[in-house]
Amino acid sequence: CLSNLPPNAKKISNSYEERRKQATAIVLLGVIGAEFGAEIEPPKGSVRARTGGQAPEGFGLTSGGSNYSLARHTCKALTFLLLQPPSPKLPPHSTIRRTAIDLIGRGFTVWEPYMDVSAVLMGLLELCADAEKQLANITMGLPLNPPADSARSARHAISLIATARPPAFITTIAREVHRFNAAQANSQSQQNVHTTTLARAKTEILRVIDILIEKMPGDVVDLLVEVMDIIMYCIEGSLVKKKGLQECFPAICKFYMVGYCDRSHRIAVGARQGSVALYDVRTGKCQNIHGHKGPITAVSFAPDGRYLATYSNVDSHISFWQMNTSLLGSIGMLNSAPQLRCIKTYQVPPVQPASPGSQNHLKLARLIWTSNRNVILMAHDGKEHRFMV
């Protein structure tokens, strides 16, 4: 059918046909990798054969003789389709680009070793930064227009990535937040601060953090300080000061390792390493104080804000810290001067979990202040230990 066309037309047609075949190959490999890539390596222990024939080799990391470059090249192609700037050959919301977004999310555990996770997450956040606006006027049942479909696909891909690898999502976003804050502190001009992808996608980031806290609290608690860094970036300090942490982001307050003081506007977060991260909502500064020899189980501020109680079930100690609330203390915060001074430590019998479950350590015990100087350590089984500062 091309025999009567001029040579130039043949060349254009051949080029289009080549791109079409490339796109088809990328999609097919992406589907195979996303759907079956995780099953390529034989599971440890009993080997279970797949029904309907063996999945092709090539997506495994270390399986015998497999050519894992197939996963690397497929990941490179999918990432290219996501991040490549719009052009006549690759429009901003083309079908192939939207397909790549979907496959990146579905097969993230297969692509992750070969992927620049930060670049991919920033690319996806850019697409769904205005998702609420894009999807607000869409009526259920109607086909989505390409921009809205891109936003929805990107939002779904981010959710899949975060729930498949919570540590990868949390540490990557926290790193980007630290990088943004450092750049903002060093930059004389702050005109473009609110136009960056990270700033525009705050609502989307909080939505994903909320999902992770609800579905995978065990993964979140291991990176609780990084999660709080992200939350503090996404929520304005003035809003937290006005409404309190419980109203601004109630999900994080489910953890007994997080405490907020309405009087001093400070947030305390107990880390898995035994340290306490103390955030000043007014200045946005954070200070880390080493408090225990094991993961912190619970923290709580006294009602008047003068004391902070911390408890670790691993080292079986409860400690009381005096808060520095003077003017000099506020100035000292800027110079990283100590804001907490340990004044008392008591040994407590360890609390035994109800059953050997992975989530039991999250609800072992909590601290309840009955007055400005008296606190109860309430175990999950109802046993109480009373202490006075």
Side-chain angles (χ1 to χ4, degrees), residues 2 25 61 79 85 100 114 120 164 166 175 226 238 289 295 316 336 340 342 344 357 366:
L2 300 176
L61 272 172
T79 305
Y114 321 104
V120 167
R175 195 183 308 120
E226 287 82 355
S238 56
I289 299 103
S316 302
S336 300
L340 295 176
C342 188
K344 279 187 181 179
R366 58 177 174 161

Side-chain angles (χ1 to χ4, degrees), residues 12 58-59 68 89 145 217 226 293:
I12 293 172
F59 289 99
Y68 61 84
K89 292 183 179 179
N145 58 47
E226 287 82 355
K293 295 178 181 178

Side-chain angles (χ1 to χ4, degrees), residues 59-378:
F59 289 99
L61 272 172
T62 57
S63 52
S66 71
N67 177 16
Y68 61 84
S69 64
L70 187 59
R72 185 173 70 250
H73 289 313
T74 306
C75 171
K76 187 177 179 181
L78 294 174
T79 305
F80 174 89
L81 291 172
L82 165 66
L83 301 177
Q84 184 70 3
S87 66
K89 292 183 179 179
L90 187 63
H93 305 291
S94 59
T95 304
I96 184 67
R97 197 190 288 266
R98 284 178 280 157
T99 304
I101 292 167
D102 188 57
L103 291 173
I104 285 172
R106 293 181 187 278
F108 180 71
T109 54
V110 177
W111 320 129
E112 185 187 4
Y114 321 104
M115 179 185 284
D116 182 346
V117 178
S118 181
V120 167
L121 283 178
M122 289 300 105
L124 292 172
L125 285 173
E126 177 64 36
L127 284 170
C128 63
D130 301 319
E132 294 295 336
K133 190 187 301 181
Q134 292 281 3
L135 299 171
N137 300 323
I138 302 298
T139 307
M140 291 297 290
L142 293 178
L144 295 176
N145 58 47
D149 193 23
S150 288
R152 188 184 65 169
S153 298
R155 172 182 274 187
H156 187 228
I158 289 175
S159 300
L160 290 174
I161 289 171
T163 51
R165 289 281 192 269
F169 177 83
I170 292 169
T171 54
T172 301
I173 298 298
R175 195 183 308 120
E176 290 297 324
V177 166
H178 294 158
R179 188 179 300 164
F180 176 89
N181 289 336
Q184 185 180 359
N186 295 330
S187 174
Q188 298 297 324
S189 172
Q190 299 183 1
Q191 295 176 355
N192 296 324
V193 163
H194 296 290
T195 61
T196 64
T197 297
L198 208 61
R200 291 173 53 237
K202 287 181 178 180
T203 303
E204 185 61 28
I205 293 169
L206 287 176
R207 182 190 71 83
V208 178
I209 293 292
D210 197 49
I211 291 173
L212 289 179
I213 292 174
E214 180 67 29
K215 292 185 175 181
M216 314 179 86
D219 291 286
V220 173
V221 79
D222 289 336
L223 295 163
L224 207 51
V225 174
E226 287 82 355
V227 170
M228 185 57 73
D229 288 342
I230 296 170
I231 293 171
M232 289 291 290
Y233 168 77
C234 292
I235 301 177
E236 293 293 330
S238 56
L239 190 64
V240 178
K241 184 178 176 182
K242 181 181 178 181
K243 296 186 175 182
L245 187 63
Q246 175 68 46
E247 188 172 342
C248 288
F249 200 71
I252 198 69
C253 298
K254 295 176 182 177
F255 294 104
Y256 295 157
M257 306 84 173
V258 176
Y260 175 68
C261 179
D262 290 311
R263 293 181 66 104
S264 64
H265 305 295
R266 285 181 173 134
I267 299 170
V269 179
R272 302 296 293 163
Q273 299 78 20
S275 60
V276 179
L278 185 67
Y279 296 83
D280 191 321
V281 171
R282 294 165 297 187
T283 63
K285 301 289 182 180
C286 176
Q287 185 183 40
N288 285 291
I289 299 103
H290 188 73
H292 293 269
K293 295 178 181 178
I296 292 180
T297 308
V299 303
S300 183
F301 285 98
D304 62 359
R306 290 184 61 193
Y307 302 103
L308 173 70
T310 62
Y311 167 67
S312 171
N313 192 57
V314 174
D315 68 7
S316 302
H317 280 86
I318 182 170
S319 297
F320 291 95
W321 308 78
Q322 190 167 27
M323 301 292 298
N324 188 348
T325 55
S326 66
L327 176 62
L328 291 175
S330 299
I331 297 172
M333 172 66 88
L334 301 176
N335 298 321
S336 300
Q339 286 296 292
L340 295 176
R341 183 168 60 92
C342 188
I343 54 174
K344 279 187 181 179
T345 300
Y346 297 97
Q347 190 163 3
V348 188
V351 179
Q352 299 301 323
S355 60
S358 58
Q359 305 301 329
N360 285 327
H361 67 281
L362 300 181
K363 299 289 184 181
L364 275 178
R366 58 177 174 161
L367 295 162
I368 304 169
W369 289 85
T370 56
S371 69
N372 289 331
R373 297 182 68 91
N374 293 278
V375 70
I376 296 173
L377 176 64
M378 176 80 72

